């Protein structure tokens, strides 16, 4: 069974940077595409970024230029680097995994989810 655990969330100021990490276990990491999603209070869960086994990436236009995704296949981790954070980036950030060579960009395409980590950007 796939298990995902996020880390790196916290309270930051406007303009700060933060790196989230997600550790994958239970299956062969390189068989899985990995995604990051976020959900703000009262909002639906939205796609942030995703990367497949060989590094092909998709990033939400709303965060392009500020956020980047990367994976380390040797360490079974995927990271989300977030720069120039804004108050509207405040949300619970969750990583997700799906057994596919594609780069899924919707929450419906992912079978496995981590519990999430809170990111709060204070002005």
């Amino acid at each position: 069974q796939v298990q995902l655990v996020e880390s790196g969330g916290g309270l930051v100021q406007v303009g700060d940077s933060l790196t989230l990490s997600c550790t994958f276990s239970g299956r062969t990491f390189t068989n899985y595409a990995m995604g990051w999603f976020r959900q703000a209070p009262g909002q639906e869960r939205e796609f942030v970024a995703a990367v497949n086994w060989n590094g092909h990436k998709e990033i939400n236009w709303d965060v392009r230029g500020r956020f980047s995704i990367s994976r380390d296949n040797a360490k079974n981790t995927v990271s989300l680097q977030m720069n120039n954070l804004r108050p509207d980036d405040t949300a619970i950030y969750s990583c997700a995994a799906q057994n596919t060579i594609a780069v899924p960009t919707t929450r419906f395409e992912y079978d496995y989810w981590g519990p999430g980590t809170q990111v709060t950007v204070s002005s």
Side-chain angles (χ1 to χ4, degrees):
Q1 183 74 359
V2 171
Q3 292 186 324
L4 304 170
V5 179
E6 302 95 341
S7 61
L11 173 64
V12 296
Q13 302 295 313
V14 169
D16 283 353
S17 297
L18 200 61
T19 302
L20 305 182
S21 294
C22 174
T23 300
F24 173 104
S25 63
R27 290 291 184 270
T28 301
F29 184 55
T30 50
N31 289 342
Y32 288 77
M34 302 296 297
W36 282 99
F37 290 76
R38 67 185 182 183
Q39 187 168 20
Q43 305 282 328
E44 291 191 350
R45 182 176 281 175
E46 72 167 344
F47 169 74
V48 177
V51 59
N52 76 347
W53 70 279
N54 67 348
H56 291 294
K57 303 173 184 178
E58 293 285 347
I59 298 180
N60 187 318
W61 278 102
D62 288 345
V63 301
R64 192 179 292 263
R66 298 190 299 122
F67 291 13
S68 62
I69 188 171
S70 61
R71 67 187 287 160
D72 186 332
N73 288 337
K75 296 182 179 179
N76 287 8
T77 59
V78 60
S79 297
L80 183 69
Q81 174 68 43
M82 305 185 293
N83 298 323
N84 193 20
L85 284 160
R86 310 184 309 215
D88 61 355
D89 294 318
T90 296
I92 295 174
Y93 285 71
S94 301
C95 84
Q98 181 61 24
N99 189 337
T100 180
I101 62 173
V103 190
T105 60
T106 73
R107 63 186 188 269
F108 308 108
E109 298 175 271
Y110 287 88
D111 288 334
Y112 302 100
W113 293 85
T117 185
Q118 177 71 47
V119 172
T120 302
V121 184
S122 173
S123 57

